[in-house]
Amino acid sequence: MQQVLWQAQPGFSRRTATVRGAGDLGVPATVDIMAAVSDQDDLRGQASYIQLSVPGVGPALAWVGVPGGGQRDGRFVHPLSGETWPWGQLHCAVRFTIDYARDGGRAAGN
């Protein structure tokens, strides 16, 4: 199966993901999508991997899809810790990512 890679490029429009309750975390309401991989040309339809850049931290969070599954079947993943969150829990994943960076890798759960 052929995969399509999209990467953020300076000067081009941003792609973002909305973080509900971002104000509680002191971050903007969106996080930037830095890269995505899909088996479709239109990555908005069914990406299998998305790299997210958390404000103040950088590209430290990902969303990983399930082959053949829907968007809600994937999980948010913090690769350095191995912590994961289901679809709908981006707020928790962003909070953990910020805490993990602030505490030097010692964040305790979400």
Side-chain angles (χ1 to χ4, degrees):
M1 171 186 327
Q2 184 177 0
Q3 297 288 309
V4 177
L5 170 66
W6 174 87
Q7 290 180 295
Q9 300 292 324
F12 289 87
S13 58
R14 296 171 49 214
R15 291 188 179 183
T16 60
T18 300
V19 181
R20 291 188 182 111
D24 298 344
L25 305 173
V27 299
T30 59
V31 293
D32 287 333
I33 297 174
M34 303 306 297
V37 176
S38 177
D39 61 353
Q40 298 180 19
D41 288 330
D42 184 354
L43 297 175
R44 294 170 297 185
Q46 180 67 33
S48 55
Y49 175 85
I50 297 173
Q51 183 181 31
L52 302 166
S53 182
V54 176
V57 178
L61 190 60
W63 178 86
V64 179
V66 176
Q71 188 175 30
R72 295 174 188 267
D73 295 325
R75 304 277 296 182
F76 292 104
V77 178
H78 184 264
L80 291 176
S81 68
E83 291 286 333
T84 68
W85 300 265
W87 178 259
Q89 296 297 314
L90 180 55
H91 179 272
C92 294
V94 168
R95 180 179 62 221
F96 179 90
T97 301
I98 292 168
D99 290 348
Y100 189 90
R102 181 193 64 222
D103 297 341
R106 295 182 302 276
N110 51 4

